Amino acid sequence: MSRDHPSRPPEAAAVAEAEAFLAAHPDIAAFDLVLIDLNGIARGKIVRRHELLPIFRAGRHLPGSILGLDVTGEDVEETGLVWSDGDADRRAWPIAGSLVPLPWTSPPRGEVRLALFELDGAPMQADPRHALARQARLLEADGFHPVLAYELEFYLLDRERTADGDFQPLRLPLSGERPEGIQVYGVTELDRLEPFIDAVYRGAEAQGLPVETMISEYAQGQFELTLRHAGALRAADDLAMLKRLIRGLAVRHGMMACFMAKPFAGRAGSGMHVHASLADAAGNNLFADRGEALSPLLKQAVAGLLATMHESMLVFAPHLNSWRRFSAQSYAPTTPTWGTNNRSVAVRIPAGAPSGRHLEQRAAGIDSNPYLVGAAVLAGMRKGILEKADPGPETTAYAETAGDALPPDWRSAIETASRSAFLKDALGERLHHVFLALKRAEYRRFAAEVTALERRLYGEVV
């Protein structure tokens, strides 16, 4: 078989990567093929060791409908990727640098991440990774090289539910007790979680994930991990891989890793904060301070993010539960504001060395897709830069809700996104159509459900 398939896209991983990996890991007998869908869910299949090299040489057929699935894994015909498309195959190609061991598996398996292409090698436009790649290329064509880093907030929960079927915080492995009180930044909770934390760091090292600080967050059982900055695509890949690492390790430690934006009504929600800057071709930070003042380029990028936030909120808050995260006097922004060293705003300029200055977009929840979030963030920044926009005065105190500056709820966000020329351009027309079809189908599913709360409130009253 030829080592170069005629439709091989230039970004596909080299065959030599697989050959070297197989030589270095003779004990790995199977591999997870993983593609991230529009809901951020990992989908794919497990293949045997002897199948890996042919996949690197010629790709692997996967149905395009894999990108037309809702959160339950059911087809959504309105995406145009199911029966109206004949459930046609596309060709998936390995992503360079994504072939890694899965250190939590026994017997040991490996993982390779995939991107979907048309049979002729053109990017399959409903694949969210291609949307981020396109926005990164547009900035690079303007002389700007995007650098991103994602923060991962999540809950570790007991796998056993309460008598009412509700989630409950984990039992800390070393003490067997559940955390009490908020204990934000508590080191005792981290110490008593040591077996899991050690497994996370060892697993991240084995997979080449640049995982850094772990903290106890603002609720019982809530934690945060940070990732070191990288190029736009690599940063989103790292976030997707880290979620899978944490989920896999949690279940093997008797826990449940929860990436809902708001699993508990009275506790903190979980965000996916995105740190972003732009570099020149030599790697110099173009957002670095100019003397005592912030860089004009940085302020233009901030202005673009604020101007497009209303239209982008469905990307940042894609599910019904996502909208429970936004409330007054919380760490989730409720209005498009910006400020320096202020965690109540939507776009924060963190304190730090002037040479490392960057922005932090705080609207996205951890339940959102990192590729879609990255694409919307980069597109918003680019819009502000091209228009030389002004973000206006910064917010120096708590950022209060400003009327209807953001969509008030999920349904409104769906309709706003459907009308948005900006979002259609940021995601691409086909991806925009598929994403909206999935969100509308998900909304209809919830709208048709009669909840226990409804029965309790209305059953013998109205």
Side-chain angles (χ1 to χ4, degrees):
M1 178 182 291
S2 169
R3 297 176 69 89
D4 293 314
H5 191 275
S7 67
R8 168 186 288 275
E11 55 265 59
V15 177
E17 181 179 336
E19 292 173 333
F21 186 91
L22 290 172
H25 298 86
D27 56 330
I28 292 182
F31 293 85
D32 294 11
L33 306 184
V34 177
L35 183 142
I36 303 299
D37 74 5
L38 273 74
N39 286 304
I41 298 172
R43 303 200 184 274
K45 56 182 69 178
I46 295 179
V47 299
R48 304 300 296 168
R49 180 183 178 92
H50 69 271
E51 297 179 86
L52 186 68
L53 279 178
I55 292 169
F56 272 73
R57 289 175 178 145
R60 181 72 173 241
H61 284 145
L62 282 178
S65 59
I66 197 171
L67 295 175
L69 302 175
D70 67 10
V71 292
T72 71
E74 290 190 25
D75 290 328
V76 176
E77 171 62 23
E78 292 86 349
T79 61
L81 295 175
V82 192
W83 303 121
S84 59
D85 191 44
D87 198 16
D89 274 343
R90 270 71 176 187
R91 194 183 301 274
W93 288 92
I95 294 169
S98 71
L99 181 55
V100 295
L102 296 179
W104 62 83
T105 57
S106 180
R109 300 198 313 273
E111 173 186 289
V112 62
R113 293 277 317 291
L114 304 173
L116 208 56
F117 293 80
E118 302 292 351
L119 298 183
D120 64 1
M124 200 287 190
Q125 295 299 334
D127 186 330
R129 195 174 189 274
H130 295 315
L132 177 55
R134 185 170 68 89
Q135 290 303 325
R137 287 195 300 268
L138 288 171
L139 280 167
E140 289 164 3
D142 296 331
F144 306 123
H145 297 262
V147 178
L148 301 180
Y150 292 81
E151 292 177 7
L152 178 81
E153 294 178 351
F154 62 101
Y155 277 84
L156 290 175
L157 305 174
D158 197 320
R159 296 205 66 82
E160 292 186 14
R161 304 287 183 94
T162 67
D164 294 330
D166 293 333
F167 293 147
Q168 57 183 340
L170 78 161
R171 292 188 181 276
L172 295 168
L174 294 187
S175 65
E177 62 190 349
R178 301 190 197 280
E180 293 185 3
I182 292 176
Q183 300 299 348
V184 64
Y185 297 115
V187 293
T188 299
E189 288 71 23
L190 294 178
D191 179 62
R192 294 175 183 178
L193 192 62
E194 181 186 46
F196 176 77
I197 295 175
D198 178 61
V200 168
Y201 282 126
R202 285 189 290 107
E205 183 177 4
Q207 294 194 322
L209 293 175
V211 174
E212 297 194 324
T213 307
M214 186 168 186
I215 68 170
S216 177
E217 260 290 352
Y218 205 73
Q220 301 100 313
Q222 188 188 35
F223 301 92
E224 177 189 277
L225 278 167
T226 61
L227 285 156
R228 192 163 57 249
H229 62 271
L233 281 173
R234 179 66 206 194
D237 289 340
D238 287 344
L239 191 282
M241 292 173 66
L242 181 57
K243 286 181 72 173
R244 190 155 191 264
L245 172 70
I246 290 172
R247 183 172 276 128
L249 288 172
V251 72
R252 287 162 175 81
H253 283 77
M255 310 170 189
M256 170 187 168
C258 181
F259 300 109
M260 288 176 64
K262 190 76 168 178
F264 298 99
R267 303 180 195 171
S270 295
M272 182 199 290
H273 302 158
V274 185
H275 296 254
S277 61
L278 297 175
D280 63 17
N284 299 305
N285 181 16
L286 298 174
F287 281 178
D289 291 358
R290 303 293 180 88
E292 297 292 322
L294 294 175
S295 160
L297 191 72
L298 169 59
K299 294 178 74 173
Q300 291 166 8
V302 169
L305 290 179
L306 299 182
T308 58
M309 189 166 295
H310 182 273
E311 298 169 79
S312 302
M313 281 305 296
L314 186 62
V315 167
F316 304 145
H319 309 293
L320 174 65
N321 178 259
S322 309
W323 291 83
R324 303 193 190 284
R325 177 171 158 258
F326 302 103
S327 59
Q329 297 187 359
S330 73
Y331 288 101
T334 57
T335 188
T337 52
W338 76 285
T340 303
N341 197 20
N342 183 347
R343 283 186 170 84
S344 72
V345 295
V347 182
R348 178 174 79 116
I349 311 300
S355 61
R357 191 71 67 215
H358 63 277
L359 63 83
E360 177 191 16
Q361 203 273 17
R362 297 175 57 81
I366 196 56
D367 57 341
S368 53
N369 182 310
Y371 301 104
L372 298 183
V373 169
V377 166
L378 294 189
M381 290 168 56
R382 183 169 181 264
K383 177 179 172 67
I385 291 168
L386 291 178
E387 296 177 357
K388 299 187 183 305
D390 184 346
E394 65 176 294
T395 299
T396 56
Y398 178 75
E400 296 287 352
T401 301
D404 60 352
L406 295 179
D409 52 38
W410 187 35
R411 172 68 180 273
S412 301
I414 292 172
E415 295 311 310
T416 298
S418 71
R419 297 188 299 266
S420 172
F422 164 78
L423 194 61
K424 183 181 291 187
D425 182 67
L427 303 183
E429 186 172 356
R430 187 169 199 186
L431 179 55
H432 181 262
H433 169 79
V434 173
F435 184 56
L436 264 294
L438 292 175
K439 294 299 102 182
R440 284 175 171 142
E442 189 177 339
Y443 177 84
R444 289 195 300 270
R445 180 183 289 270
F446 275 102
E449 181 73 18
V450 178
T451 66
L453 179 59
E454 290 173 87
R455 286 189 285 268
R456 190 161 67 246
L457 291 181
Y458 308 133
E460 288 190 292
V461 176
V462 297

